[in-house]
């Protein structure tokens, strides 16, 4: 069983389109994240949700809208895709948003290419 | 600041030890992590160390933390070709909503 699963793994789409990436975790965690890895492999957090509430929003354009229908799911919707949105998007989860011993587990990534 | 720096490349011969270094700037970090990313794959958690520890060993992996110098290292003993990957260190802050700040990544190449 995959602990943190994302779909799709690969996505090629045209500029201006709207697309979504879905994420589900079966670890019983209450906190989920989206990270972006750019072409230089640099990883940066985008969003964090704890029990379906947004707790981190790292100056991401409002074309990016995360949605958490329940604490096991955190989807990422992107409007009006731009070339610069091409990246690998990683979903992750952990138990709790503060405190000790939280290990963050990552999904396999979603490779988005905007053409 | 939240800069986490790593050297970009490291090349070792199979069977040798690899040491991957990381420096960070924020002394309030609580946990420091090492992740491995193989080509086309996700991030695999290798190990982590709490900031009040100096060393942690886990099979072939040894993590050393010098909190005074804000320096973290990962030593891989008996490096194998399967260890070839990008290695990321990451730090987590208290009160940061469990946000991880990643280093720039070190590409480890293991040669025969």
């Amino acid at each position: 069983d995959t602990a943190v699963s994302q779909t799709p793994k690969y996505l090629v789409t045209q500029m201006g389109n709207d697309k979504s990436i879905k994420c589900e975790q079966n670890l019983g965690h209450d906190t989920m994240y989206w990270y972006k890895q750019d072409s230089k492999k640099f990883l940066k957090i985008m969003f964090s949700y704890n029990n379906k509430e947004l707790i981190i929003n790292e100056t991401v354009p409002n074309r990016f809208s995360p949605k958490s229908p329940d604490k096991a799911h955190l989807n990422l919707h992107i409007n009006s895709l731009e070339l610069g949105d091409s990246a690998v998007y990683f979903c992750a989860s952990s138990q709790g948003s503060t405190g000790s011993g939280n290990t963050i587990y990552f999904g396999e990534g979603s490779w988005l290419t905007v053409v | 600041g939240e800069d986490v720096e790593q050297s970009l490349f490291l090349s070792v011969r199979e069977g040798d030890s690899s040491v991957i270094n990381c420096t960070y700037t924020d002394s309030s970090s609580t946990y420091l992590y090492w992740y491995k990313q193989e080509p086309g794959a996700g991030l695999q958690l290798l190990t982590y160390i709490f900031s009040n520890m100096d060393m942690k060993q886990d099979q072939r992996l040894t993590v050393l933390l010098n909190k005074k110098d804000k320096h973290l290292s990962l030593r891989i003993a008996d490096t194998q070709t399967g260890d070839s990957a990008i290695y990321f260190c990451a730090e987590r802050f208290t009160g940061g909503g469990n946000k991880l700040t990643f280093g720039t990544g070190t590409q480890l190449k293991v040669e025969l």
Side-chain angles (χ1 to χ4, degrees):
Chain A
D1 272 352
T2 305
V4 182
S5 58
Q6 305 176 220
T7 54
K9 182 162 175 132
Y10 299 103
L11 180 58
V12 181
T13 189
Q14 290 189 325
M15 279 174 54
N17 284 350
D18 303 337
K19 290 293 177 187
S20 292
I21 306 171
K22 296 186 176 181
C23 180
E24 176 182 5
Q25 53 92 7
N26 62 8
L27 297 166
H29 290 164
D30 60 5
T31 304
M32 296 185 72
Y33 314 81
W34 278 107
Y35 281 79
K36 179 181 179 181
Q37 185 175 43
D38 64 22
S39 58
K40 294 182 180 177
K41 305 294 186 185
F42 186 67
L43 278 151
K44 190 171 169 60
I45 192 166
M46 299 173 70
F47 301 103
S48 170
Y49 270 73
N50 175 256
N51 279 320
K52 303 192 297 174
E53 285 193 33
L54 180 67
I55 55 173
I56 295 176
N57 182 342
E58 288 281 309
T59 60
V60 178
N62 56 15
R63 296 183 296 104
F64 289 78
S65 52
K67 286 191 171 49
S68 183
D70 55 61
K71 67 180 189 178
H73 295 84
L74 180 63
N75 303 322
L76 182 65
H77 189 75
I78 315 170
N79 288 328
S80 302
L81 277 155
E82 300 177 358
L83 293 176
D85 298 331
S86 295
V88 185
Y89 293 85
F90 285 100
C91 178
S93 74
S94 70
Q95 181 55 36
S97 60
T98 59
S100 62
N102 300 122
T103 301
I104 299 178
Y105 294 92
F106 284 80
E108 290 291 300
S110 294
W111 270 252
L112 172 65
T113 302
V114 182
V115 296
Chain B
E2 298 181 353
D3 291 337
V4 183
E5 299 285 338
Q6 299 178 239
S7 51
L8 286 179
F9 298 103
L10 176 65
S11 181
V12 299
R13 295 177 76 164
E14 191 177 39
D16 288 349
S17 292
S18 309
V19 179
I20 302 170
N21 295 304
C22 172
T23 56
Y24 58 98
T25 56
D26 198 310
S27 58
S28 65
S29 58
T30 55
Y31 283 86
L32 295 126
Y33 301 81
W34 283 103
Y35 283 86
K36 175 184 179 183
Q37 186 179 29
E38 296 184 37
L43 293 163
Q44 175 194 352
L45 176 65
L46 289 177
T47 186
Y48 65 91
I49 188 167
F50 187 47
S51 57
N52 69 354
M53 297 170 64
D54 298 324
M55 185 182 94
K56 181 178 179 181
Q57 185 152 6
D58 184 0
Q59 298 183 331
R60 292 191 299 123
L61 305 178
T62 303
V63 178
L64 295 177
L65 176 60
N66 181 330
K67 203 170 179 185
K68 175 176 165 289
D69 294 338
K70 299 190 184 74
H71 183 264
L72 179 75
S73 68
L74 174 70
R75 179 177 179 270
I76 305 172
D78 187 24
T79 313
Q80 303 297 307
T81 54
D83 295 324
S84 293
I86 300 176
Y87 290 80
F88 292 94
C89 64
E91 58 175 341
R92 177 165 75 85
F93 310 93
T94 52
N98 222 19
K99 177 178 76 171
L100 288 181
T101 297
F102 281 89
T104 45
T106 299
Q107 173 83 58
L108 173 65
K109 183 179 177 184
V110 182
E111 297 174 326
L112 296 172

